[in-house]
Amino acid sequence: MEAATTLLDAEAVGDLVLLDPLTEESLLCTLQERFRRSNIYTYIGDVVISVNPYRPLPIYTPEKVQEYNNCNFFAVKPHIYAIADDAYRSLRDRDRDQCILITGESGAGKTEASKLVMSYVAAVCSKGEEVDKVKEQLLQSNPVLEAFGNAKTIRNDNSSRFGKYMDVEFDFKGEPLGGVISNYLLEKSRIVRHTKGERNFHIFYQLLAGGSAQLLQQLKLRQGSQHYGYLNREKSSLPGMDDAANFRAMQDAMAVIGFSPTEVTALLEVTAVVLKLGNVELSSCYQASGMEACSIAEPRELHEICELIKLDPGTLEQALCSRTVKARDETVLTALSVPQGYYCRDALAKNIYSRLFDWLVNRINTSIQVKPGKQRKVMGVLDIYGFEIFQDNGFEQFIINYCNEKLQQIFILMTLKEEQEEYVREGIQWTPVEFFDNGIICDLIENSKCGILAMLDEECLRPGVVNEDTFVTKLNQLFATHKHYESKETQNAKHVTDLSLPQRCFRIHHYAGKVTYNVTGFIEKNNDLLFRDLSQAMWAAQHTLLRSLFPEGDPQKVSLKLPPTAGFQFKNSVATLMKNLYSKNPNYIRCIKPNDTKTAMLFTPELVLAQIRYLGLMENVRVRRAGYAFRQLYNPFLQRYKMLGTKTWPRWSGSDREGTEVLLSELKFPPEELAYGYTKIFIRSPRTLFDLEKRRQERISELATLIQKMFRGWRCRTQYQLMRKSQIIISAWFRGHAQKNKYKQMKRSALLLQAYARGWKSRRLLRELKVQRHRHLAASTISAYWKGYKVRRMYRRYFRSGASTRLANFIYRRLVQKFLVGLQKNLPPMSVQDRTWPPAPYKFLVGANQELKNIFYHWKCKKYRDQLTPQRKALLQAKLCASELFKDKKTLYSKSLQQPFQGEYLGLTQNPKYQKLHAVAKDKLVMAESVMKVNRANGKTVPRLLLLTTEHLVLADPKAAQPKTVLSLSDIRGISVTRFSDGLLALHLKETSTAGNKGDLLLVSSHLIELITRLHQTLMAATSQALALHITDQFSTRFQKGDMAITVVESAKGSNDDVPVCKKRGSHKMEVLVH
């Protein structure tokens, strides 16, 4: 349940079973109060009621997922995550297949509810690369199917126009393995017509809004829905829905699912064919016999369609404008009238799209299906169109409402009727609750002998003139006395006047209210015929995907058997779905639409009360209040909870019922909380069940602790015995090892004593020998010194004459050697920016030290230059050239030092629109950028693209990408720029040049330094002449009407995004404001 404060709040109780008093008014007020507090979910036992808020709410965050993961269903606030978690855990832990039935009107939020369920299950599953891939594929199937199967209706901006049932399959661990998607009755009539205020299927608008220009050109489509007849030739955009972004999301989802690029392209091509079929116009003509015929009014659309599907236009035109009729052994080609031709065109479009949608579902199933042979558990999620009541209800609404009747029947049988019948079967005393069984309505529609669908099939197969009038007449005869059927004739027979029921209509009293159906088109839509000529034409197309959609078009497989009607197929599909749902444990989400205007947080009591009544919520609450919230067979119950009793644990030898009674009596629950059936135990309150679960968890913890204790004791005893045995062995080995070590130590000691004794003797002998040697050396030294003294005394006069010079040279060489060795060890870093050098230690080495510094720096620069790439060397040369041209001359130069010269600023290679500009010059591109050209007449600026090549300078229009001016470099006689930080330059042209007839050019460049530098280098390389550059504030230019004196003035603040402002001062003067 919710928190205690919420439970005690009578105005907004979380579980309607606790509502007191229980009336329609109190139930409605509770839902309204909870809705006002943004609590859109409410319980009726284990049934979730969801009220659509029509706006995002912050209750679906990852934190909320963690809050509801493995929670008790009633222990937290009501939420769709709670029922999703309960279903998932029942599937994983109790091995019970689940199905989640989401019902409600169109616009009640069923599609969003199914996506929330799937996203929650994906979030709480275990992680892993393969598991995450499967989860992502299952989740990404939603955007693809919504694009092709959903559309905007009057009541819902994202209404499912098909029924979807997804079986998600899990392994024994609860990890998703894959899934299977089943689709039911796509509303294909929406392809050819839809009511004003509604839209066709989303994919058409997404393709036109999000498709690139290249893709649309490939599909031969034009951007904008106003160009297409099937889209009512009107612009249609939904607030809050970005068709372009949704198209990109759909493409990404297809890639995740596993669609190849070829399959995506083929899919979009067939979609484009359907869209373009609506633009095929027919015109009336007459044959030679005078019979009316039709022909293609404008063949262009037909030819484009045939180009897409690789089909001869004549084949398709013949199939649309004529029909082949076989009579006995003859084949007659019959021309069609214009209405018949349009019928054929629309039938072809509907069949192509319907079969394409079936192919799409099968292709998704191929990617997400589970490999055979694996044991699996299944969770089904049903998201199908809601009950619909429009002003004009046709065959589609009849089929949709029939399906909703069957779903309501499931709810009645599996929640209300089976609830009461189970109590009777089990012999449980309780108060029966009366409820409405809609089986009579289902029988009215689906009875195989005299149901409405059977009568419709009979009319479709009856020979002779068949129309809707005969069909209504037959219904009036069969159901004249049926209390849930009305028509104009039955009311007239009862003398009842009802102006709201016109002719050719009948009314059925559905569980959700009375619905009036217009039978116009019933027989045509039920037959759903497609002429064999059209099938054969599609088979003749060379488009692989389209051809596979029409296998009956193969001339080798012609069958005269009529295909089953749409009603018959849908009835069988619904029967299969019901059988599938009956085999699973149901979980219900009842969606309620709070208002008809899709306004956020607006609650209309009258509308909600009507839904409360036909959804049977009051009966559901009464059954829950009168019955028991939990029931289970005795054996599973006893096996699950037997550890809670001292008499039932660990084994119970009696019957399961006796064991259950003994267990519950020992647990001392109140008698009114329990009831013992023939085969099941019934528990009235969920709190009692939660108490059981809580005690079980505590007992499991105790048992786990006991097991752990016993295991740890055994493990410790075993480990102790092993350690004792090991200790004895280690002790024995250690004692032996100690004795060995003792013996070795004694042996080493004896040897050491012997060594010391021998050493002492040897050292004493050595000392005596050294004394004798020292005496001998001393005598020799004294003798040598004496002899030397006598010789030096005799020859002293010869040595003193050159001693000072030799001594000075020796000292000089030693100082130089010391200096060079020290310099070798203290050389500065190899960086060319580092100009440091060790100082000279002596003044006489200053010159040599400076010379060595210069030599070392030049050597470093050479090593650096050798490492440069050609591109880097060219860039540095350009920077050096810019320094020579502008350093200390123009203020802008200092700002350009840190900016690398890129040369190409337009992205010519990435933009195919600009590639033809480069082809005009036919030589190597040097620089490309966007500049502003100053108009010679009024001084205004216009954008231009500037391309500098090795021989030309080109100015082009950026929009048309067409050259405006092409100059040869030899035509340029000079350039004038200012000394300020602006980008203005005057390009002076030779009068003899062709382009010079109009005069000089005034340009504004955001890369002025680089432009003039590269122009200077290119001109030097081409003509071996330097560029004549003038840096001045006043210069003269030559225009077509005469010379113009330009004066450049620096202003404090710029305007117009730093573009210089040119103002004419007379006919021959112009003032330019820069900053």
Side-chain angles (χ1 to χ4, degrees):
M1 294 292 174
E2 288 184 85
T5 54
T6 308
L7 289 175
L8 297 176
D9 187 355
E11 295 182 353
V13 65
D15 191 344
L16 297 179
V17 174
L18 304 178
L19 190 62
D20 189 29
L22 176 61
T23 62
E24 282 188 346
E25 292 74 15
S26 63
L27 191 150
L28 179 65
C29 290
T30 300
L31 290 179
Q32 185 171 7
E33 178 61 22
R34 290 183 60 79
F35 187 75
R36 186 186 66 81
R37 300 181 185 183
S38 296
N39 295 326
I40 63 173
Y41 297 111
T42 309
Y43 290 153
I44 299 180
D46 54 1
V47 177
V48 174
I49 301 173
S50 171
V51 184
N52 193 349
Y54 288 115
R55 71 177 178 89
L57 294 177
I59 58 175
Y60 309 107
T61 59
E63 292 77 14
K64 284 290 182 182
V65 173
Q66 292 302 320
E67 179 182 346
Y68 285 88
N69 186 17
N70 290 325
C71 69
N72 285 329
F73 186 82
F74 295 100
V76 289
K77 289 185 178 181
H79 201 289
I80 195 171
Y81 285 170
I83 192 172
D85 183 76
D86 185 64
Y88 176 68
R89 287 193 292 117
S90 296
L91 175 138
R92 182 191 63 193
D93 301 338
R94 300 188 179 184
D95 200 17
R96 299 174 62 187
D97 288 349
Q98 303 290 316
C99 65
I100 298 179
L101 304 183
I102 307 172
T103 57
E105 282 193 15
S106 177
K110 299 184 301 301
T111 300
E112 288 301 317
S114 68
K115 289 193 285 188
L116 289 171
V117 170
M118 293 299 298
S119 64
Y120 177 83
V121 174
V124 299
C125 288
S126 58
K127 309 298 180 185
E129 182 177 352
E130 189 64 28
V131 174
D132 290 342
K133 178 182 177 182
V134 172
K135 291 193 293 187
E136 193 65 19
Q137 286 182 337
L138 292 173
L139 292 176
Q140 291 301 324
S141 64
N142 279 325
V144 179
L145 293 178
E146 284 187 13
F148 284 86
N150 287 26
K152 176 189 182 299
T153 64
I154 295 175
R155 297 186 175 186
N156 189 357
D157 288 346
N158 189 30
S159 177
S160 298
R161 307 318 299 161
F162 72 104
K164 181 180 77 171
Y165 176 74
M166 174 183 285
D167 267 334
V168 184
E169 301 180 348
F170 300 82
D171 64 6
F172 69 97
K173 296 179 293 184
E175 296 179 356
L177 299 173
V180 178
I181 298 174
S182 303
N183 64 301
Y184 303 95
L185 190 68
L186 178 73
E187 187 192 9
K188 57 187 177 182
S189 62
R190 182 171 292 272
I191 292 292
V192 298
R193 67 181 64 87
H194 54 271
T195 310
K196 186 174 180 60
E198 296 188 352
R199 297 205 318 176
N200 213 316
F201 291 102
H202 292 327
I203 182 60
F204 299 120
Y205 305 94
Q206 294 177 3
L207 175 59
L208 296 177
S212 63
Q214 181 180 359
L215 176 62
L216 294 180
Q217 184 179 3
Q218 179 184 349
L219 300 179
K220 305 187 185 303
L221 297 175
R222 289 184 290 172
Q223 200 168 29
S225 57
Q226 67 273 14
H227 301 296
Y228 298 97
Y230 281 162
L231 306 184
N232 287 353
R233 298 190 181 277
E234 60 185 9
K235 293 184 178 180
S236 180
S237 60
L238 294 179
M241 182 179 291
D242 188 344
D243 289 324
N246 290 339
F247 181 72
R248 291 189 293 271
M250 184 207 67
Q251 288 181 308
D252 295 339
M254 283 186 168
V256 171
I257 293 171
F259 281 78
S260 66
T262 304
E263 289 176 321
V264 175
T265 301
L267 181 67
L268 295 179
E269 286 175 347
V270 177
T271 305
V273 167
V274 174
L275 193 57
K276 293 180 71 63
L277 274 173
N279 288 357
V280 175
E281 300 291 338
L282 302 177
S283 60
S284 178
C285 61
Y286 291 91
Q287 297 178 325
S289 60
M291 294 184 63
E292 183 183 2
C294 66
S295 61
I296 304 299
E298 177 54 54
R300 184 175 64 86
E301 290 283 354
L302 186 72
H303 287 177
E304 290 182 351
I305 292 174
C306 291
E307 287 180 24
L308 282 173
I309 62 176
K310 301 174 185 177
L311 176 66
D312 179 37
T315 302
L316 183 57
E317 182 176 1
Q318 180 178 344
L320 290 174
C321 299
S322 61
R323 179 186 177 189
T324 302
V325 179
K326 288 188 177 181
R328 295 183 181 179
D329 297 333
E330 296 183 0
T331 301
V332 180
L333 187 65
T334 305
L336 300 178
S337 63
V338 172
Q340 291 172 335
Y342 278 126
Y343 172 81
C344 286
R345 181 200 68 177
D346 293 345
L348 177 61
K350 291 188 292 185
N351 271 272
I352 290 176
Y353 193 84
S354 175
R355 299 179 188 207
L356 178 66
F357 188 77
D358 292 338
W359 175 88
L360 180 65
V361 173
N362 292 332
R363 176 62 184 83
I364 294 175
N365 284 336
T366 302
S367 294
I368 66 176
Q369 66 185 358
V370 182
K371 295 179 181 178
K374 290 188 176 181
Q375 185 179 2
R376 62 195 74 171
K377 308 174 184 179
V378 179
M379 176 186 290
V381 180
L382 179 64
D383 173 19
I384 203 163
Y385 18 57
F387 198 89
E388 294 185 346
I389 306 176
F390 298 143
Q391 291 292 331
D392 185 17
N393 302 286
F395 181 74
E396 291 82 4
Q397 282 69 44
F398 176 72
I399 291 296
I400 289 172
N401 293 343
Y402 160 60
C403 181
N404 278 270
E405 284 286 355
K406 295 295 290 183
L407 293 176
Q408 177 67 9
Q409 187 179 33
I410 283 186
F411 183 77
I412 292 172
L413 292 177
M414 300 182 76
T415 61
L416 302 180
K417 187 175 180 180
E418 287 190 5
E419 182 94 8
Q420 300 182 34
E421 290 179 353
E422 185 173 27
Y423 293 143
V424 174
R425 287 195 306 268
E426 293 292 330
I428 303 299
Q429 297 295 326
W430 80 306
T431 304
V433 177
E434 295 183 0
F435 59 88
F436 170 68
D437 187 352
N438 70 334
I440 186 173
I441 303 176
C442 296
D443 186 69
L444 169 68
I445 299 173
E446 68 179 4
N447 189 287
S448 58
K449 293 183 179 179
C450 57
I452 295 177
L453 286 176
M455 294 300 101
L456 182 60
D457 288 348
E458 184 178 314
E459 283 298 304
C460 292
L461 297 175
R462 185 170 63 84
V465 178
V466 178
N467 54 44
E468 284 78 5
D469 293 331
T470 59
F471 170 58
V472 174
T473 301
K474 182 172 292 187
L475 294 184
N476 293 335
Q477 294 172 356
L478 285 173
F479 308 121
T481 59
H482 201 290
K483 63 180 180 179
H484 292 281
Y485 175 86
E486 290 181 1
S487 69
K488 195 72 175 177
E489 287 71 10
T490 59
Q491 287 186 342
N492 290 340
K494 298 176 183 178
H495 305 289
V496 176
T497 302
D498 186 355
L499 299 179
S500 65
L501 186 60
Q503 295 289 343
R504 293 173 64 87
C505 293
F506 65 91
R507 179 181 293 158
I508 294 179
H509 296 200
H510 287 284
Y511 78 95
K514 298 180 181 180
V515 183
T516 302
Y517 298 103
N518 190 335
V519 298
T520 304
F522 261 55
I523 292 178
E524 172 193 330
K525 294 175 181 178
N526 189 49
N527 274 326
D528 195 23
L529 292 178
L530 183 70
F531 293 151
R532 188 179 296 110
D533 303 72
L534 295 172
S535 298
Q536 292 176 349
M538 295 300 100
W539 172 263
Q542 298 303 310
H543 194 281
T544 307
L545 174 56
L546 182 63
R547 181 171 180 163
S548 67
L549 300 180
F550 292 87
E552 76 276 11
D554 186 355
Q556 305 299 325
K557 300 179 181 179
V558 175
S559 175
L560 298 179
K561 183 180 178 181
L562 288 175
T565 62
F568 179 81
Q569 295 180 52
F570 187 74
K571 177 182 173 183
N572 290 341
S573 299
V574 170
T576 304
L577 175 64
M578 298 301 115
K579 183 179 179 181
N580 194 352
L581 296 179
Y582 278 126
S583 67
K584 295 178 175 60
N585 182 55
N587 301 271
Y588 297 100
I589 301 174
R590 311 288 269 174
C591 297
I592 291 179
K593 181 171 63 174
N595 60 78
D596 277 328
T597 58
K598 295 176 282 191
T599 304
M601 303 310 293
L602 175 63
F603 194 93
T604 306
E606 297 80 9
L607 178 63
V608 175
L609 181 60
Q611 295 174 77
I612 289 173
R613 288 171 177 169
Y614 74 67
L615 289 175
L617 300 186
M618 285 292 295
E619 291 82 357
N620 195 0
V621 176
R622 290 194 186 101
V623 169
R624 290 293 179 183
R625 288 166 68 99
Y628 295 84
F630 176 79
R631 75 289 315 272
Q632 193 173 21
L633 294 172
Y634 287 120
N635 181 265
F637 182 85
L638 184 61
Q639 292 300 321
R640 185 171 181 84
Y641 300 108
K642 65 180 181 179
M643 73 283 295
L644 300 180
T646 57
K647 299 179 181 180
T648 56
W649 178 257
R651 293 181 182 87
W652 173 255
S653 57
S655 66
D656 294 332
R657 175 168 179 169
E658 291 174 353
T660 302
E661 292 176 351
V662 169
L663 172 65
L664 294 177
S665 63
E666 186 177 347
L667 295 177
K668 298 180 180 179
F669 286 115
E672 62 272 12
E673 283 291 314
L674 306 172
Y676 298 95
Y678 299 130
T679 62
K680 295 180 181 179
I681 174 66
F682 290 78
I683 298 177
R684 182 180 301 276
S685 171
R687 295 183 183 85
T688 304
L689 181 63
F690 295 152
D691 189 20
L692 272 172
E693 282 292 327
K694 182 179 179 182
R695 295 187 187 186
R696 180 177 180 271
Q697 291 297 329
E698 293 172 352
R699 180 60 176 159
I700 287 176
S701 298
E702 294 175 0
L703 294 175
T705 304
L706 177 62
I707 294 172
Q708 290 175 353
K709 181 181 70 173
M710 298 300 294
F711 173 75
R712 287 169 182 163
W714 170 82
R715 186 175 63 181
C716 289
R717 285 191 298 272
T718 304
Q719 187 176 4
Y720 168 74
Q721 293 172 355
L722 289 175
M723 289 175 64
R724 184 174 180 274
K725 183 178 179 181
S726 301
Q727 189 270 337
I728 294 173
I729 295 174
I730 292 171
S731 297
W733 279 91
F734 179 77
R735 285 191 292 269
H737 175 71
Q739 291 298 324
K740 290 177 183 178
N741 287 344
K742 186 177 180 181
Y743 166 75
K744 291 178 181 179
Q745 182 67 30
M746 292 173 65
K747 184 177 179 181
R748 281 197 300 270
S749 301
L751 293 175
L752 185 62
L753 291 173
Q754 292 176 1
Y756 269 100
R758 295 189 187 102
W760 175 77
K761 292 181 179 179
S762 298
R763 285 192 295 274
R764 186 178 65 178
L765 178 61
L766 179 62
R767 282 196 299 270
E768 293 177 356
L769 293 174
K770 285 183 177 180
V771 169
Q772 294 177 6
R773 183 170 177 269
H774 287 164
R775 290 173 180 173
H776 177 72
L777 290 175
S780 300
T781 302
I782 294 171
S783 177
Y785 269 93
W786 170 248
K787 292 177 182 177
Y789 167 73
K790 289 193 297 182
V791 171
R792 284 192 296 275
R793 185 175 180 184
M794 184 182 298
Y795 291 96
R796 184 175 297 170
R797 60 180 177 271
Y798 299 109
F799 288 104
R800 289 182 176 177
S801 60
S804 61
T805 304
R806 283 195 295 271
L807 184 60
N809 290 336
F810 173 79
I811 294 173
Y812 177 81
R813 286 193 298 270
R814 290 295 297 167
L815 291 177
V816 171
Q817 182 183 10
K818 182 180 180 182
F819 165 70
L820 293 177
V821 172
L823 188 61
Q824 179 187 4
K825 297 180 180 178
N826 296 309
L827 286 176
M830 292 297 292
S831 172
V832 295
Q833 296 180 349
D834 189 347
R835 301 296 294 268
T836 61
W837 185 258
Y842 306 103
K843 289 185 179 180
F844 72 91
L845 293 174
V846 171
N849 188 55
Q850 184 63 35
E851 190 64 27
L852 287 173
K853 176 181 178 182
N854 295 336
I855 293 172
F856 181 75
Y857 182 76
H858 284 88
W859 177 76
K860 280 200 303 185
C861 292
K862 181 179 182 303
K863 295 289 286 184
Y864 177 77
R865 291 195 300 273
D866 293 341
Q867 296 174 358
L868 292 177
T869 62
Q871 294 81 3
R872 180 65 178 171
K873 189 176 293 184
L875 178 62
L876 291 178
Q877 289 174 350
K879 284 288 186 178
L880 180 60
C881 181
S883 175
E884 294 172 355
L885 292 175
F886 295 103
K887 187 174 181 181
D888 299 328
K889 299 177 183 178
K890 185 169 178 64
T891 309
L892 182 63
Y893 170 73
S894 59
K895 299 180 181 179
S896 69
L897 288 176
Q898 301 300 326
Q899 300 175 357
F901 289 175
Q902 299 179 12
E904 211 280 286
Y905 295 92
L906 296 181
L908 296 179
T909 57
Q910 290 82 7
N911 194 336
K913 179 179 177 182
Y914 293 155
Q915 289 180 357
K916 58 184 178 181
L917 290 176
H918 189 203
V920 174
K922 300 180 180 178
D923 43 14
K924 183 179 178 182
L925 180 69
V926 177
M927 183 174 177
E929 72 156 334
S930 177
V931 300
M932 303 296 291
K933 178 178 174 295
V934 180
N935 193 302
R936 300 180 181 94
N938 52 22
K940 294 183 177 179
T941 59
V942 293
R944 288 290 184 264
L945 302 180
L946 184 145
L947 277 72
L948 175 61
T949 67
T950 54
E951 297 180 6
H952 296 86
L953 189 145
V954 181
L955 291 176
D957 185 0
K959 293 182 179 179
Q962 295 293 333
K964 291 291 187 179
T965 305
V966 180
L967 301 175
S968 175
L969 296 184
S970 59
D971 295 337
I972 301 174
R973 64 182 177 88
I975 289 181
S976 295
V977 298
T978 72
R979 59 186 176 87
F980 306 119
S981 59
D982 61 282
L984 178 70
L985 67 99
L987 193 63
H988 303 293
L989 306 178
K990 296 179 180 179
E991 298 181 8
T992 57
S993 64
T994 305
N997 295 335
K998 295 183 179 180
D1000 299 339
L1001 297 173
L1002 283 180
L1003 305 176
V1004 180
S1005 170
S1006 57
H1007 306 91
L1008 177 71
I1009 302 298
E1010 181 181 358
L1011 174 61
I1012 295 178
T1013 301
R1014 292 190 180 278
L1015 182 59
H1016 173 77
Q1017 290 180 320
T1018 306
L1019 196 61
M1020 283 291 291
T1023 63
S1024 301
Q1025 295 181 359
L1027 176 68
L1029 176 64
H1030 306 285
I1031 302 178
T1032 179
D1033 300 339
Q1034 295 183 350
F1035 51 86
S1036 176
T1037 59
R1038 181 178 56 81
F1039 289 168
Q1040 191 172 12
K1041 295 183 180 181
D1043 292 344
M1044 178 73 71
I1046 306 296
T1047 302
V1048 182
V1049 180
E1050 185 177 25
S1051 62
K1053 183 178 181 182
S1055 60
N1056 196 21
D1057 297 331
D1058 297 339
V1059 176
V1061 179
C1062 302
K1063 298 180 181 180
K1064 294 194 68 175
R1065 306 295 188 188
S1067 59
H1068 296 286
K1069 290 184 179 180
M1070 180 181 290
E1071 183 177 284
V1072 181
L1073 297 179
V1074 299
H1075 74 285

